[in-house]
Amino acid sequence: MCGIVGYVGPKRASDILLAGLASLEYRGYDSAGIAIAEEGRVDVTRRVGKLANLSAAVAADPPAGVIGIGHTRWATHGRPNEENAHPHTDCAGRIAVVHNGIIENYLELREELVAAGHTFRSETDTETIAHLLESLYEGDLTAAVAAALRRLHGSYAIAVLHADHPGTIVAARLDSPLIIGVGEGENLVASDIPAVLRHTREILVLEDGEVATVDANSVTVVDRDGAPVVSERMHIEWDLDAAEKGGYEDFMLKEIHEQPRALRETLRGRVGDDGLIQLSELDMTDEQVRSIDRVFITACGTSFHAGLVAKTLIETWARIPVEVVVSSEFRYRDPLVDDRTLVVAITQSGETADTLAGVREARQRGGKVIAITNVVGSRVTRESDGVIYTHAGPEIGVAATKTFTAQIAALYVLALYLAQTRGTLDREQIGGIWAHLQDVPGHVETILSDLSAVQECAAVYKDRYSSLFLGRGIGVPVAMEGALKLKEISYIHAEAYAAGEMKHGPIALITSEVPVVVVATASDTYEKVVSNIQEVRARGAEVISVATQDDHDIAKHSEHVLYVPEVPELLSAILAVVPLQLLAYYIAKYRGCNVDQPRNLAKSVTVE
Ligand code: G6P
């Protein structure tokens, strides 16, 4: 969603805001803007399109002010044009607001404010906040923001600037991330950590309903009742390098290559000296684990596909029925959750609004909620009973790659732990699986060491308009993820299907122009997958198979083969998805697409 940054200190604010917005651009990129307070005025510069347009406009006439707020937008209310770009101002142009989230009652507030004489210039919900503040302001900006929050329904993170207070930013949040970067003689406000890391590693995470008054030398936080809050500081260990491209052409390619490390970090320390899987984060007694009679997994997008992989793992190893439900459906379907239900919420960002709503719903019904996330201190970590972190490092590319495979690694640990505690696998079986799992990061390195086959294949199919992805068993979610990656970043239509179901519809789409990507790694259903390949080839399709090294037969049935090392079937998901990530990446590159910032998408979706 949208990115927010604010700066107050001794330096030229516009430089710091633009650099901060650059590190947040993955959150939204249909327009951007900054507001700088100077000499009793607030000056706003906004541009449609990428941040480069705003940077060029600012460079033409750089403002000297040392305090400002900035925003990069992912449109929700109102088209992506300059009027709708943030910051938004009040009638007098003395208050500027940037906002991430949605104000649900904005129409009602807008009518009220228009009736009181306010003139609106945009279609956005955000502009309502600026006019509301104008109507409530009586000389104390923090008090005006606190009063405004009492009128706003929805989810928001906001930062506010007022010409009368040229040394202060007031920031507040409800259901949308917002942090304060605490520096030496300067302070920052941001929706995400990379925006402040150049200046400080000391972070305060604002909680829901809190209002922060940020000056160059102080940060004062009050709760929704106005009572002072002592926020806990976090020290960020990872550095900006981890969030920069490090020699790769794009973040996505860098993050694909970071997967071996992300997997090793996520699996590290999970087996004790006694050979047992350790998962203290679950925070459940063995008795409670044994009493689980149902698992729900709730997630969106790529994280949902990790959940589908986990269903097979948990059902096969721990013998517990698992239902995987997209978060936007989960909360509205009166889910059958009670105190014997384990709910696993998978969200790399920890901020996805629908997944958070599902977590709340599950806990209200007495379910035990465990979150799998990549972001320390994110919202989901504070709303769940336990957290398993994926240690993938910051992921900037909008299309998730390393967080996906790291989620699957964390889910292997969870599934094995459940099986161990419930006695459905013995120590020897777990040890055997674990030994193979330890080899997976090295196998990913092998796949990444030779990209020639996937590049060749991408060059052949880059201009197709549609494609089909097939798999069976654990290969189905892999096919789904491969199709999602391709459509997200290359804009080629891609549809994933269980290979056996393909004859019941998608086969009608097959022509020689529609390539079929098949997950055909070694499995109990391998022969059946080969039959499905023959069915599509008989109708003229060209086939790209992802197959196990040394499977020479598959080459007879496929135009292209992307090989992966051999592992037991249930461990194959991580390996099989890597060539599909790469295929999507190179096809998108060869088509000239912006792989890190695909159109209309956002890295974390903080609105429902
Ligand atoms: C957005 C992103 C996807 C991501 C999904 C879920 O759609 O573009 O890459 O998979 O949100 O995000 P989460 O942070 O909950 O895993």
Side-chain angles (χ1 to χ4, degrees), residues 385-399:
D385 297 301
V387 183
I388 306 176
Y389 282 108
T390 50
H391 298 282
E395 187 176 71
I396 307 295
V398 164

Side-chain angles (χ1 to χ4, degrees), residues 27-348:
R27 294 185 72 99
Y29 33 80
D30 55 48
S31 56
I34 58 170
I36 305 286
E38 204 186 353
E39 294 170 357
R41 301 191 317 270
V42 170
D43 292 326
V44 175
T45 314
R46 306 181 293 185
R47 286 296 179 271
V48 178
K50 301 270 177 197
L51 185 60
N53 300 349
L54 176 69
S55 303
V58 173
D61 185 14
V66 293
I67 178 168
I69 53 177
H71 188 267
T72 172
R73 179 168 188 248
W74 187 83
T76 55
H77 291 75
R79 282 156 295 155
N81 57 24
E82 198 163 307
E83 289 71 46
N84 291 334
H86 299 218
H88 288 282
T89 50
D90 62 331
C91 297
R94 299 187 62 75
I95 300 173
V97 179
V98 290
H99 164 224
N100 176 20
I102 287 181
I103 305 301
E104 285 165 2
N105 58 335
Y106 84 102
L107 282 175
E108 172 194 324
L109 289 170
R110 186 175 168 130
E111 268 174 34
E112 179 186 317
L113 288 158
V114 168
H118 291 260
T119 307
F120 279 71
R121 292 171 295 258
S122 78
E123 304 160 307
T124 64
D125 51 344
T126 307
E127 193 184 346
T128 314
I129 306 174
H131 293 283
L132 185 62
L133 285 170
E134 185 176 32
S135 71
L136 294 167
Y137 178 72
E138 289 173 349
D140 180 338
L141 186 58
T142 308
V145 170
L149 299 194
R150 287 193 277 276
R151 302 279 332 265
L152 301 175
H153 303 163
S155 65
Y156 48 78
I158 60 172
V160 181
L161 204 59
H162 196 303
D164 289 355
H165 302 272
T168 305
I169 297 170
V170 179
R173 67 161 277 176
L174 184 74
D175 282 345
S176 238
L178 200 66
I179 57 133
I180 314 282
V182 183
E184 300 276 329
E186 60 183 6
N187 288 311
L188 295 102
V189 173
S191 48
D192 212 350
I193 295 168
V196 306
L197 269 191
R198 268 189 196 83
H199 309 281
T200 180
R201 288 167 174 282
E202 300 301 312
I203 304 293
L204 300 182
V205 180
L206 278 197
E207 298 289 338
D208 276 349
E210 290 181 352
V211 181
T213 307
V214 183
D215 298 342
N217 293 304
S218 69
V219 178
T220 316
V221 182
V222 293
D223 67 14
R224 61 179 89 217
D225 302 319
V229 173
V230 182
S231 311
E232 205 182 308
R233 277 203 197 186
M234 280 169 51
H235 181 78
I236 302 303
E237 298 292 346
W238 48 271
D239 55 27
L240 207 56
D241 273 359
E244 285 182 347
K245 288 185 196 161
Y248 287 95
E249 242 179 273
D250 326 84
F251 282 113
M252 184 177 174
L253 188 60
K254 173 180 175 247
E255 288 156 4
I256 289 173
H257 281 269
E258 284 172 343
Q259 291 182 104
R261 195 179 71 189
L263 292 167
R264 287 194 181 99
E265 293 292 325
T266 304
L267 294 173
R268 190 205 299 272
R270 288 298 176 186
V271 174
D273 295 340
D274 51 7
L276 293 175
I277 303 283
Q278 306 194 330
L279 194 58
S280 55
E281 296 95 322
L282 199 56
D283 198 23
M284 287 171 89
T285 63
D286 289 359
E287 199 42 54
Q288 285 172 319
V289 172
R290 282 192 281 268
S291 75
I292 296 168
D293 63 4
R294 176 200 300 264
V295 174
F296 268 110
I297 298 179
T298 186
C300 304
T302 291
S303 298
F304 172 70
H305 297 156
L308 293 174
V309 173
K311 173 181 168 70
T312 304
L313 305 178
I314 296 172
E315 289 187 341
T316 309
W317 289 339
R319 309 304 294 158
I320 316 173
V322 181
E323 219 182 312
V324 193
V325 189
V326 285
S327 306
S328 51
E329 293 295 320
F330 177 72
R331 61 181 295 214
Y332 295 111
R333 55 180 258 175
D334 197 5
L336 293 166
V337 172
D338 61 24
D339 59 359
R340 298 181 65 181
T341 313
L342 176 67
V343 177
V344 183
I346 311 174
T347 163
Q348 59 81 21

